[in-house]
Amino acid sequence: MKSNLSRKFLTGVIILASVVSVVAQDKQYTLNEDKSQVSLIVDSKQTKYTVADIQYNKRGTALLEAKLYTLGINMDTIGSWSGLSDKDKIWKLNISVPQAKGFFVRFDDLYLPEGAKLYVYNKNNTTDAVVYNHGDNPDGGAYSIENLKGDNVVLEYVAPGRVVETPRILLSDVGYKYTNGNGEHADFGESASCMINVNCPDAENWQYQKKGVVLLRMVKSSNTYLCSGTLINNTNNDKTPYLLTADHCFENMTVAQIQSNTSFIFEYEYPTCEMGTDAQPPKYKYHKGSEVMVLNPISGGSDGALLRLTGNIPDDWDVYFNGWDRENKASSSGAIIHHPEGDVKKISFYEKELATGTWNGSATNAHWVVTYAKGATQRGSSGSPVFNSSGLIIGTLTGGENISCDLSKPDLYGKMWYHWDQYADVNKHMSKYLDPTNKGVTKLAGLNNNDGIEKNIVLDNNDLSMILNATTEVTILDGNGDYTVSSSNSNIVSAELNSNKVIIKALNFGSATVNVTDKKNKTARITVSVVSTVKYAITGTKTLTVTLNKEDDSINRVRIINLNGDTVIDKKGLDAKEEPIDISILPRDTYIIQTITKNGTKKAEKITW
């Protein structure tokens, strides 16, 4: 993903870095006499979250993470060397970061020759050193060493005598983590207790999707900010490194600033479910540099952003280009994968049908309203993908009130449907990049970066609600071939295969599961409910949604009647498949809901809320 710097260019950088260090010395750091230690000059008052910062983070914004202290210095001008010509060559630099709770060190160029190692440790705890080698950044270029704790770090480069290639270590800056009054900051292990690690049993069916999710870091005005995002597939299935996130993550940034000041952290996940007090941060992959394709604004739009990473994803990166569903159709269940508080990947789940909503200032009905069943989101989750029951992206997180693991408070996600082609300015449509040859597909399976990995079975619908005697098709979007299908209860639904279509017929009221299996014994399940023609559902405490499950008919009238026989709501002259009704004006009680369709179908049902 990064190209090597030429020696001629590097020489220029070293000379420039030396000049910058002299200029910056009085402002941001000092050097000891032999230049073996860099000490940041920190005003601790400037590294605390203000009340304004905390309130700002609640309204749908990127997470303010760290204050940057510029270094711009090269290993040739600082640090100390030791070792004989035929023995290990050792370069060591101490960096003092006064009163820090957490920090990271960024490099404009970090290249370690094969056979050499860079040990990173706190001077008071050498036993927990993290070791970096050539494979961590094989092409050199930008890099970041994350999750540093305490008030110092030692960088110790060790090269055996047989290593003759010259290392390149050009330090860019130190990111000093902001803290609140309790010392809490955005970092590994700092997300809320309700957050679920992406390798917990609950996430078993989301192991492909998780590989696409990325932590983003943006630099604005000497500060860093965090968001989440995901790699996304396109209809050419050619591994173009498109990345989907939220527009608001780049608030107050120009296109040029986004492209040069945004970095991406991949594969950042804890390997097991539980994290003990002695848990160590996992390794990760790092990339810097992108091109802006689409910014669909939060103001008047759906808050979507599509970037293209510079270069190509290396073949050995275990990542996944997530698939998508651009239909404006609510999913009844699904998941969100994200990096709350800059922590390792977490997963949250919803089990109620999504409602349509409008974010303050955004386009009308351009968002999905998600209420969680498990997990939640926090600062840093912005831009994360929401997946439907088929494991396909249907939106990106704008924000909400769910910041304290309160499952009653929903979040809003900009719809993929709106990102696609609904904005007035056609230059802000994602369709021309994600469907470059105008194939017109509405759903697309994801794509593994590694061609040797077995595919998951991807269906265009995993959750069906059917009326009696209806027949429907489910398309197999991807898999390993040679499929078979079966029904868990053939008295309720039958299932048969026709090419890549699963044909399902509703025979009796009830629920059943249709299993689709391929030659690699991968299995996907379709949950089928055979229901009456009209369906009622209450979302949260404010909305009653009436849904008509019949293609050639529409809702004409909905009445709500109290137990005294009084009509309290009467909506006439409708022509809709789905009709949301605001019931917040009604006292909590039992009511009769009556629906009449244009074709004369009538349905009445008693509800209590």
Side-chain angles (χ1 to χ4, degrees):
M1 302 271 298
K2 317 172 192 73
S3 59
N4 290 322
L5 299 171
S6 67
R7 290 185 179 276
K8 182 177 179 180
F9 178 67
L10 180 59
T11 302
V13 172
I14 293 172
I15 293 171
L16 176 61
S18 300
V19 174
V20 171
S21 67
V22 173
V23 173
Q25 187 168 339
D26 292 337
K27 294 183 178 180
Q28 300 204 291
Y29 68 87
T30 61
L31 296 172
N32 65 351
E33 187 173 353
D34 65 0
K35 298 184 179 180
S36 63
Q37 178 166 304
V38 174
S39 299
L40 298 189
I41 302 173
V42 175
D43 181 351
S44 60
K45 294 180 181 178
Q46 295 183 0
T47 61
K48 308 293 185 185
Y49 286 120
T50 65
V51 173
D53 291 331
I54 294 170
Q55 293 300 317
Y56 182 76
N57 278 323
K58 290 182 179 180
R59 70 171 187 84
T61 59
L63 163 60
L64 175 61
E65 177 202 22
K67 179 177 177 59
L68 289 178
Y69 288 84
T70 302
L71 297 179
I73 46 182
N74 189 277
M75 71 182 302
D76 289 350
T77 61
I78 58 169
S80 60
W81 283 95
S82 62
L84 303 175
S85 60
D86 59 342
K87 301 286 187 179
D88 288 352
K89 298 181 181 67
I90 301 173
W91 172 84
K92 184 184 292 188
L93 177 68
N94 292 276
I95 303 176
S96 174
V97 190
Q99 302 179 49
K101 295 294 184 181
F103 63 99
F104 55 88
V105 178
R106 301 198 310 161
F107 301 81
D108 286 326
D109 190 21
L110 177 64
Y111 178 75
L112 305 175
E114 292 197 46
K117 295 179 180 179
L118 180 66
Y119 295 85
V120 179
Y121 55 90
N122 186 293
K123 67 182 180 182
N124 301 316
N125 183 13
T126 59
T127 59
D128 288 335
V130 179
V131 183
Y132 295 84
N133 57 38
H134 174 79
D136 289 306
N137 203 34
D139 296 326
Y143 196 72
S144 181
I145 292 179
E146 302 288 325
N147 301 308
L148 300 174
K149 302 286 188 181
D151 62 0
N152 74 89
V153 67
V154 179
L155 307 180
E156 184 173 327
Y157 171 80
V158 179
R162 68 179 185 279
V163 175
V164 296
E165 193 176 6
T166 303
R168 303 194 304 269
I169 301 180
L170 175 57
L171 290 92
S172 171
D173 45 44
V174 173
Y176 193 112
K177 298 289 183 81
Y178 284 97
T179 60
N180 62 15
N182 298 320
E184 297 168 336
H185 58 286
D187 213 335
F188 171 72
E190 293 292 329
S191 62
S193 60
C194 68
M195 300 300 166
I196 304 166
N197 272 344
V198 80
N199 288 310
C200 285
D202 284 345
E204 179 183 1
N205 295 327
W206 301 91
Q207 294 302 293
Y208 285 83
Q209 289 82 358
K210 72 171 187 179
K211 296 179 181 181
V213 176
V214 178
L215 177 64
L216 284 74
R217 174 179 286 138
M218 291 69 64
V219 176
K220 296 185 271 186
S221 304
S222 298
N223 289 312
T224 63
Y225 296 77
L226 298 178
C227 272
S228 302
T230 178
L231 290 173
I232 186 169
N233 196 16
N234 74 90
T235 57
N236 284 346
N237 286 295
D238 58 6
K239 302 180 185 177
T240 300
Y242 289 130
L243 186 133
L244 179 70
T245 186
D247 168 75
H248 77 258
C249 293
F250 309 112
E251 184 180 20
N252 298 324
M253 295 179 74
T254 66
V255 168
Q257 289 170 335
I258 295 170
Q259 295 180 161
S260 60
N261 293 336
T262 304
S263 52
F264 310 86
I265 297 175
F266 291 80
E267 300 184 37
Y268 185 44
E269 61 186 69
Y270 200 70
T272 61
C273 182
E274 300 297 330
M275 290 166 50
T277 56
D278 58 347
Q280 296 298 310
K283 283 290 192 77
Y284 49 86
K285 301 290 195 305
Y286 182 88
H287 173 73
K288 185 179 180 183
S290 61
E291 180 182 358
V292 174
M293 301 286 102
V294 174
L295 294 176
N296 188 320
I298 186 172
S299 178
S302 53
D303 190 29
L306 185 70
L307 311 181
R308 176 175 176 161
L309 306 187
T310 53
N312 293 314
I313 302 282
D315 291 340
D316 61 345
W317 285 25
D318 188 16
V319 299
Y320 186 74
F321 300 85
N322 271 304
W324 40 262
D325 180 346
R326 64 179 179 90
E327 291 186 351
N328 190 20
K329 183 178 179 181
S331 177
S332 59
S333 63
I336 296 91
I337 304 176
H338 54 121
H339 285 282
E341 294 292 332
D343 204 349
V344 290
K345 290 176 196 172
K346 306 290 182 175
I347 188 167
S348 302
F349 300 95
Y350 65 94
E351 296 173 357
K352 291 183 179 180
E353 186 168 294
L354 302 184
T356 286
T358 303
W359 179 264
N360 184 28
S362 293
T364 302
N365 295 332
H367 283 73
W368 292 120
V369 181
V370 179
T371 302
Y372 304 106
K374 294 180 183 177
T377 59
Q378 288 182 279
R379 307 176 309 162
S381 301
S382 282
S384 58
V386 54
F387 298 96
N388 63 13
S389 59
S390 296
L392 303 176
I393 300 168
I394 56 172
T396 50
L397 177 61
T398 292
E401 293 298 320
N402 195 303
I403 56 174
S404 303
C405 299
D406 184 347
L407 297 182
S408 69
K409 296 187 180 296
D411 280 338
L412 274 73
Y413 290 74
K415 292 181 178 181
M416 194 70 199
W417 164 77
Y418 200 99
H419 295 346
W420 190 262
D421 63 1
Q422 295 298 304
Y423 194 71
D425 184 350
V426 297
N427 293 316
K428 299 184 183 299
H429 292 178
M430 295 186 185
S431 56
K432 62 182 177 180
Y433 301 106
L434 300 182
D435 187 13
T437 56
N438 295 314
K439 294 179 180 177
V441 300
T442 59
K443 302 176 183 181
L444 182 71
L447 181 69
N448 276 300
N449 186 49
N450 187 328
D451 295 331
I453 295 178
E454 290 182 0
K455 296 179 179 180
N456 228 8
I457 297 177
V458 181
L459 308 173
D460 74 343
N461 199 338
N462 288 65
D463 195 350
L464 297 177
S465 181
M466 301 176 64
I467 62 173
L468 195 62
N469 298 321
T471 299
T472 192
E473 294 181 350
V474 172
T475 301
I476 302 173
L477 299 176
D478 201 15
N480 300 292
D482 293 343
Y483 304 104
T484 59
V485 297
S486 62
S487 171
S488 65
N489 191 332
S490 57
N491 291 320
I492 294 175
V493 297
S494 64
E496 60 183 37
L497 194 64
N498 184 3
S499 185
N500 69 328
K501 306 283 188 182
V502 182
I503 313 300
I504 301 172
K505 184 171 183 179
L507 304 176
N508 284 291
F509 290 116
S511 298
T513 300
V514 174
N515 294 306
V516 183
T517 305
D518 66 16
K519 64 183 180 182
K520 298 288 187 179
N521 287 322
K522 295 278 187 177
T523 299
R525 295 174 176 83
I526 306 169
T527 301
V528 185
S529 297
V530 182
V531 298
S532 57
T533 306
V534 179
K535 176 183 175 183
Y536 301 115
I538 295 177
T539 303
T541 59
K542 296 183 178 181
T543 304
L544 168 71
T545 301
V546 183
T547 304
L548 180 64
N549 299 304
K550 197 172 184 181
E551 292 297 327
D552 58 349
D553 202 356
S554 62
I555 299 168
N556 178 253
R557 184 179 183 182
V558 178
R559 289 201 304 163
I560 300 181
I561 305 165
N562 64 24
L563 295 183
N564 294 324
D566 302 320
T567 299
V568 292
I569 292 177
D570 192 355
K571 300 187 74 172
K572 304 176 183 179
L574 306 174
D575 185 14
K577 293 290 185 184
E578 183 175 281
E579 183 64 25
I581 300 172
D582 181 5
I583 56 175
S584 62
I585 61 173
L586 302 178
R588 290 185 176 274
D589 204 341
T590 299
Y591 297 90
I592 304 297
I593 314 300
Q594 183 186 73
T595 300
I596 303 174
T597 74
K598 285 203 167 183
N599 289 346
T601 299
K602 296 181 180 180
K603 170 69 181 297
E605 187 171 312
K606 184 184 292 186
I607 65 164
T608 301
W609 74 284

